[in-house]
Amino acid sequence: MTHSLLDDALFAAMESSILPTEEAESLPPLCYTDAAFYEFEKKAIFSREWLCVGRESWAASPGDYFTSHIADEPVLIARGRDGVLRAMSSVCQHRAMLVAEGSGKARAFVCPYHHWTYALDGALVSAPAMERTCRFHKEDFNLPPFALEIWEGFVFINFDRDAAPLAPRLAGVSQVLRGYDLPSAEGERPSDEQRYPWNWKVMFENNNDGYHASKLHQGPLHDFIPSELAEFPDDLPDDTAGYYRTNRTLHPDASFNATQRAVLPVFAGLSAEERHRMVFANVPPTLSLVMTADTVIYLILRADGPESHRVDQGVLTAPGAKADPAFAQKMAMGMLAAGEIIEQDLHVDEMVQVGLRSRHAPRGRYSWQEGAQRLFNTWLVPRYRAAWTVADGDA
Ligand code: FES
Ligand SMILES: [Fe+2]
């Protein structure tokens, strides 16, 4: 049965969100609050788009693995003895226990419940005391595999194994990231995920928003990147899988710490012009990058409900940056500044979710400095409409 709030009128109303920025308005508020809309998004977005789950370096050697969880699907990433990195469901095909949690090194995955054992490639290799079970063939119970692709050192998976490759549709974004050489940038796997009580798009839009930089974050930690120096590319192809914006800085080699300047090695491939700006790159629905001259902060957003999501937040630095004896202290300078800025953002995000539940929640109009919100809309709305049209046709 169709949920009463999801109807043709809702999807027709989204058209105004992809008009030019000066004419556009934000998405209907129920897209951020409604449980049926989240279920719809699971089909329209999460079951067919490429989803970032981590960095390739998190599973560098045979037997290394890590797990994730996105849109209600537990995911296992493991590097096989053959050196191939694979993505699969971590749901045991016996009675649905998770065969792996966290991260580590394994020779095989032994389900803790009844010890069904899976090889690193997900093949079920042993299932104790199943010999009397009729019509039971081990090969029918492998861990379900997902598509996997590496882009800029990040691991992306796709629940649709026939999905078109990601990288060709990110060529325009890769171009602007080239100077950072992200495949060789270094950083530890973040130890703790955060769980936040607001819709994943509220988080995405906050990270995507240059308008608030000089307002919410006004002060000595953020003033080097004023909102009026925001720039939005107009040359990305229509089928781009991601987008970016740049923001010129008041001085070169700027970074988030109390000195407002890079204290770690500047990414070696950046041109003089690139050293005079920050880049904010987004690959919806999961990956958001904030790039200064010496650090790249990445957020991996993992929706897990209509009004909640989880985030893996990590930092990448130029190769060899750790050799600096004061690396830890310099990173701490950055974290102190970023922590203060992030606190301001998190408070806004939480209150925006409260506002979006209100009967007075607006279809808001945009400033030119919110060009990237409109870019996000142009990514979302055609996908929503395509999935709705198909569902409609099936009905
Ligand atoms: S649920 Fe995994 S072995 Fe039974
Ligand atoms: Fe912010």
Side-chain angles (χ1 to χ4, degrees):
M1 197 179 80
T2 306
H3 188 285
S4 59
L5 295 176
L6 269 56
D7 57 15
D8 289 345
L10 173 72
F11 291 89
M14 291 176 181
E15 283 303 289
S16 59
S17 295
I18 58 175
L19 294 171
T21 308
E22 292 77 4
E23 294 169 47
E25 55 187 354
S26 57
L27 289 169
L30 76 79
C31 300
Y32 302 82
T33 59
D34 186 72
F37 193 80
Y38 172 66
E39 289 303 316
F40 167 76
E41 271 187 329
K42 282 206 260 177
K43 295 194 200 86
I45 304 285
F46 293 100
S47 64
R48 58 177 67 168
E49 297 298 331
W50 288 94
L51 309 171
C52 184
V53 291
R55 292 280 295 168
E56 187 178 17
S57 61
W58 297 357
S61 309
D64 289 351
Y65 72 90
F66 62 89
T67 59
S68 189
H69 188 274
I70 180 159
D72 304 316
E73 289 297 339
V75 175
L76 170 59
I77 310 293
R79 195 174 291 278
R81 282 198 199 138
D82 54 3
V84 175
L85 195 65
R86 294 182 181 84
M88 61 202 92
S89 172
S90 63
V91 177
C92 181
Q93 295 299 291
H94 177 222
R95 278 176 40 217
M97 172 61 184
L98 303 189
V99 303
E101 297 171 64
S103 63
K105 199 168 190 73
R107 293 162 60 100
F109 298 107
V110 182
C111 179
Y113 204 174
H114 314 94
H115 288 193
W116 282 27
T117 300
Y118 300 87
L120 292 168
D121 66 1
L124 179 63
V125 290
S126 84
M130 291 294 289
E131 62 280 353
R132 294 189 204 167
T133 305
C134 50
R135 296 182 306 283
F136 176 75
H137 306 290
K138 282 207 298 283
E139 57 274 22
D140 295 338
F141 293 89
N142 298 333
L143 297 175
F146 306 139
L148 182 148
E149 185 174 326
I150 308 294
W151 178 77
E152 298 286 347
F154 289 96
V155 180
F156 285 79
I157 63 159
N158 202 313
F159 297 130
D160 175 5
R161 296 195 72 205
D162 299 322
L166 176 67
R169 289 177 292 132
L170 284 176
V173 182
S174 291
Q175 182 71 15
V176 81
L177 303 186
R178 205 171 41 184
Y180 296 89
D181 188 17
L182 290 185
S184 56
E186 295 174 345
E188 301 296 317
R189 180 173 187 249
S191 50
D192 297 316
E193 66 177 19
Q194 305 297 319
R195 192 166 191 207
Y196 296 121
W198 51 89
N199 183 271
W200 68 276
K201 297 187 294 299
V202 170
M203 190 68 160
F204 214 94
E205 288 170 353
N206 172 250
N207 218 42
N208 202 28
D209 177 16
Y211 188 27
H212 77 285
S214 300
K215 293 84 174 176
L216 177 67
H217 300 311
Q218 190 173 48
L221 295 176
H222 212 292
D223 283 350
F224 63 86
I225 173 170
S227 301
E228 64 265 24
L229 298 185
E231 291 170 325
F232 306 97
D234 52 11
D235 56 350
L236 288 172
D238 286 345
D239 72 338
T240 187
Y243 54 90
Y244 65 91
R245 64 186 166 90
T246 56
N247 208 114
R248 285 182 58 76
T249 52
L250 295 182
H251 54 259
D253 295 341
S255 193
F256 286 122
N257 62 63
T259 74
Q260 297 189 352
R261 283 171 172 77
V263 290
L264 292 164
V266 170
F267 290 98
L270 297 178
S271 67
E273 193 192 335
E274 288 170 335
R275 289 169 70 159
H276 222 297
R277 70 182 193 193
M278 280 179 64
V279 177
F280 300 82
N282 292 293
V283 185
T286 49
L287 182 63
S288 195
L289 303 173
V290 176
M291 315 178 75
T292 70
D294 63 347
T295 50
V296 173
I297 300 172
Y298 61 87
L299 277 74
I300 300 172
L301 274 60
R302 298 187 278 115
D304 70 351
E307 297 195 288
S308 69
H309 68 289
R310 308 183 203 206
V311 176
D312 306 305
Q313 184 183 313
V315 181
L316 303 174
T317 53
K322 268 193 249 150
D324 182 341
F327 176 76
Q329 289 83 353
K330 289 177 176 177
M331 283 290 277
M333 285 169 67
M335 289 304 104
L336 188 66
E340 194 171 308
I341 295 163
I342 289 167
E343 271 306 301
Q344 295 165 338
D345 284 320
L346 296 182
H347 177 69
V348 163
D349 291 335
E350 189 168 2
M351 295 301 110
V352 165
Q353 188 71 34
V354 172
L356 285 167
R357 279 186 223 125
S358 163
R359 76 189 74 173
H360 298 298
R363 297 288 304 275
R365 298 299 304 280
Y366 295 122
S367 156
W368 69 267
Q369 294 170 1
E370 291 169 288
Q373 307 301 8
R374 187 245 171 202
L375 287 172
F376 185 36
N377 295 344
T378 62
W379 189 93
L380 286 170
V381 170
R383 286 164 171 80
Y384 288 154
R385 296 206 65 181
W388 179 250
T389 306
V390 169
D392 230 13
D394 289 350

